[in-house]
Amino acid sequence: MKLKRQKHAKKNMGFYKHNFHFLEPFQVLLDGTFCQAALRNKIQIREQLPGYLGGATQLCTTRCVLKELESLGKALYGAKLIAQRFQLRSCSHHKDPVGGSACLLSMIEEGNPHHFFIATQDQELANKVKKKAGVPLLFIIQNTMVLDKPSPKSLAFVQKLQMNELVPEHQKQSIVQLKEKEGLAKQEGEKRRKRKRAGGPNPLSCLKKKKKTQEGQEPSAEKKKRRKRKRIRVKAEAVQSVQKSEEE
């Protein structure tokens, strides 16, 4: 069972590495529900997760998650102690903290540019994460951590990429920046402006054929005149010769 689970994890990690460029160390954002489940099932997250994902990991959380755990009191005191050991990732809720789920969702907006994993036991949050392409989801089942299979949204995104119908937003920005750096964007604009419009026929080609036919007819008419003169001359000479012979 353990080998089968490890095999599935390796396959899913390969999908995210190949299609969404996830690299080590893998950044895992955890909420209070995941920490509480790990505590209850005696799972050592820091020790076990790197082996399961097949690479170095960075366990992270946010101030909003810690604030939420503090507000829940003694019931989640152990989960709060676990979460406090993780690295803090800055969110946009410095002055007005929000719930842990809302905060984690805000961290994966705009295509998950920081390549975060989301680790949660909150089913509502998990469903929202599945609606975003390229966000791996971790949860705990039967005393073990599980990396969920790629969501239909992620699979559809990859399929569009393979059909060259879609380019990730961060790739679009990098392409534009490279073009600006090399000066290609200006050159392309100039080329578009310099394109020639389709015009009519060349005026120099008009009436040439008529001139040629006239020029070609002139020598033939002269030849006809010469032949006619020659015939008249021959006839005249023939008549003269007949008259001479009669006189003799």
Side-chain angles (χ1 to χ4, degrees):
M1 190 69 181
K2 185 177 179 181
L3 289 173
K4 188 177 181 181
R5 190 167 56 247
Q6 194 74 34
K7 186 177 179 181
H8 283 300
K10 187 176 181 181
K11 181 181 177 182
N12 294 335
M13 283 301 300
F15 173 84
Y16 287 108
K17 286 179 182 178
H18 179 71
N19 296 299
F20 294 96
H21 310 290
F22 277 72
L23 300 172
E24 296 183 43
F26 306 121
Q27 298 192 80
V28 183
L29 275 173
L30 302 96
D31 70 352
T33 62
F34 192 89
C35 295
Q36 179 68 11
L39 180 65
R40 187 169 57 249
N41 292 286
K42 299 179 180 180
I43 294 173
Q44 302 295 324
I45 304 173
R46 193 180 296 277
E47 287 75 18
Q48 293 176 229
L49 193 57
Y52 178 67
L53 296 180
T57 60
Q58 286 183 351
L59 304 179
C60 320
T61 191
T62 65
R63 295 184 188 278
C64 292
V65 171
L66 294 179
K67 286 281 184 184
E68 184 179 58
L69 289 171
E70 285 177 8
S71 66
L72 293 172
K74 294 181 180 180
L76 293 175
Y77 180 75
K80 185 188 80 169
L81 291 178
I82 293 173
Q84 284 176 339
R85 299 174 187 171
F86 303 150
Q87 298 179 20
L88 282 178
R89 290 289 178 266
S90 59
C91 61
S92 57
H93 315 114
H94 303 292
K95 294 181 180 179
D96 300 311
V98 297
S101 298
C103 184
L104 294 191
L105 281 174
S106 71
M107 299 291 286
I108 55 174
E109 291 293 338
E110 299 178 0
N112 193 18
H114 299 291
H115 300 91
F116 286 123
F117 290 67
I118 297 295
T120 183
Q121 296 296 102
D122 185 343
Q123 191 59 46
E124 185 179 352
L125 173 58
N127 291 335
K128 290 178 180 179
V129 169
K130 289 178 183 180
K131 293 179 181 179
K132 297 180 180 294
V135 186
L137 182 65
L138 283 161
F139 50 86
I140 294 172
I141 293 180
Q142 296 178 354
N143 303 333
T144 56
M145 291 181 289
V146 176
L147 175 63
D148 197 14
K149 63 183 180 180
S151 66
K153 191 77 173 178
S154 294
L155 294 172
F157 183 89
V158 170
Q159 189 175 6
K160 286 181 180 179
L161 278 179
Q162 291 172 349
M163 294 171 66
N164 296 322
E165 292 181 0
L166 184 65
V167 178
E169 193 61 34
H170 65 277
Q171 287 188 13
K172 285 182 182 179
Q173 292 175 358
S174 62
I175 289 169
V176 171
Q177 289 173 357
L178 285 171
K179 282 187 175 182
E180 289 177 353
K181 186 177 179 181
E182 299 295 331
L184 294 175
K186 292 182 179 179
Q187 291 178 8
E188 286 180 0
E190 290 174 0
K191 285 180 182 178
R192 288 174 185 171
R193 290 173 191 168
K194 290 180 180 179
R195 279 183 182 174
K196 294 182 179 179
R197 294 180 180 177
N202 188 353
L204 297 175
S205 64
C206 299
L207 302 175
K208 280 188 175 180
K209 289 183 180 179
K210 292 182 180 179
K211 290 181 180 180
K212 285 182 179 179
T213 53
Q214 291 174 359
E215 290 173 0
Q217 287 175 356
E218 287 179 2
S220 62
E222 288 180 3
K223 285 180 181 179
K224 286 180 180 179
K225 287 180 181 180
R226 287 175 186 172
R227 287 174 187 170
K228 196 172 183 181
R229 288 173 190 169
K230 193 173 182 181
R231 286 174 194 164
I232 295 169
R233 200 180 301 144
V234 170
K235 284 181 180 181
E237 289 177 355
V239 170
Q240 288 177 1
S241 63
V242 169
Q243 288 175 355
K244 284 181 182 181
S245 62
E246 286 178 352
E247 288 176 356
E248 290 175 356

